[in-house]
Amino acid sequence: RALELDFAETDQGTRNALAAAISEQATAEVTTSPPTEQQLRDYFQQHPGQWATEGVMSLRDFILPSSIGRHSEDTAVEAKRAVDELRAASSVDQVVTTLGLKEGARQDQEYYFTVKFRLGDSLFYVIKGLSDGQISDPVAEKNGIHIVQMIKNAKPVPLTFETARSQVSSDYNEAAQKHVMDSTMKFLRTRARILIAPDYQADYKP
């Protein structure tokens, strides 16, 4: 009845209901036919490392602030000196005080995703492979050059299929539904006829 009255054109609730109905119809076979054990095992083997324990880090983030009027070459030299001294020093705090480094908020037993959010992608990418006690290479960021001391890095450990089975099953179903929906949308686009009202055509000119 909603289609007869053209509610899909004017009513958002009707549009949402129609979209949901199409999605449910398209994915019905996937949602009602659970994968076999072998399919799940094959999917697990095809995506190594996707299921693992959460990595946890404890670290200190030292910052060599950017200074107006100081050349980048000078800053790079100071950063290298700071790294060398931190790696050789028996007392990190003494080096930090001597060189005037600032320290950001400490990360103590934080999950990888939390550290990545706080430090940013580029810095996290550099430090995620550090071992316990290591000092990172200097990394230039907007607020200065960062040097990280990795206190403890409990890296992710891959899970066995038996341990990760429920998540593997969920991810398998999600991937299968996405594949079906992508194929359905591609088919619908080839059959779609899009009409634009004359008073809106100027807004859609390429």
Side-chain angles (χ1 to χ4, degrees), residues 143-202:
N143 63 336
I145 297 181
H146 290 246
I147 303 167
V148 171
Q149 178 195 25
M150 183 62 67
I151 299 172
K152 179 73 175 178
N153 187 3
K155 299 178 182 179
V157 177
L159 298 175
T160 63
F161 171 78
E162 289 71 21
T163 303
R165 188 189 182 286
S166 62
Q167 188 59 50
V168 174
S169 178
S170 176
D171 291 346
Y172 177 94
N173 288 329
E174 183 178 340
Q177 291 181 40
K178 183 179 184 303
H179 175 73
V180 170
M181 282 305 301
D182 288 346
S183 299
T184 300
M185 293 306 296
K186 183 178 180 179
F187 170 77
L188 291 176
R189 288 192 185 99
T190 63
R191 294 298 187 92
R193 184 183 177 205
I194 302 174
L195 302 177
I196 302 173
D199 49 337
Y200 284 96
Q201 287 180 355

Side-chain angles (χ1 to χ4, degrees), residues 15-35:
R15 292 167 64 90
N16 293 344
L18 288 170
I22 292 174
S23 298
E24 290 175 6
Q25 183 179 11
T27 60
E29 184 176 353
V30 174
T31 56
T32 58
S33 302

Side-chain angles (χ1 to χ4, degrees), residues 33-178:
S33 302
T36 65
E37 194 74 5
Q38 189 58 50
Q39 285 176 315
L40 291 180
R41 288 185 178 276
D42 290 343
Y43 186 73
F44 179 81
Q45 294 295 331
Q46 291 163 7
H47 300 80
Q50 181 169 327
W51 301 276
T53 60
E54 290 283 358
V56 177
M57 287 181 176
S58 294
L59 58 85
R60 299 178 69 180
D61 177 26
F62 305 115
I63 306 167
L64 180 62
S66 301
S67 298
I68 298 176
R70 182 166 57 183
H71 294 294
S72 58
E73 294 83 358
D74 296 335
T75 304
V77 170
E78 289 185 36
K80 185 180 184 306
R81 176 193 171 196
V83 169
D84 291 342
E85 293 197 17
L86 285 170
R87 288 173 175 170
S90 57
S91 173
V92 169
D93 290 324
Q94 182 176 351
V95 175
V96 170
T97 301
T98 301
L99 299 182
L101 301 177
K102 306 297 182 182
E103 184 171 2
R106 290 199 185 191
Q107 314 291 322
D108 186 22
Q109 292 292 304
E110 300 285 1
Y111 288 123
Y112 271 29
F113 63 84
T114 302
V115 177
K116 184 177 181 180
F117 173 77
R118 291 177 177 173
L119 298 185
D121 292 351
S122 58
L123 183 53
F124 178 80
Y125 179 80
V126 171
I127 69 169
K128 68 178 182 179
L130 294 178
S131 299
D132 299 352
Q134 278 192 307
I135 302 293
S136 74
D137 291 331
V139 179
E141 297 285 348
K142 291 182 179 179
N143 63 336
I145 297 181
H146 290 246
I147 303 167
V148 171
Q149 178 195 25
M150 183 62 67
I151 299 172
K152 179 73 175 178
N153 187 3
K155 299 178 182 179
V157 177
L159 298 175
T160 63
F161 171 78
E162 289 71 21
T163 303
R165 188 189 182 286
S166 62
Q167 188 59 50
V168 174
S169 178
S170 176
D171 291 346
Y172 177 94
N173 288 329
E174 183 178 340
Q177 291 181 40
K178 183 179 184 303

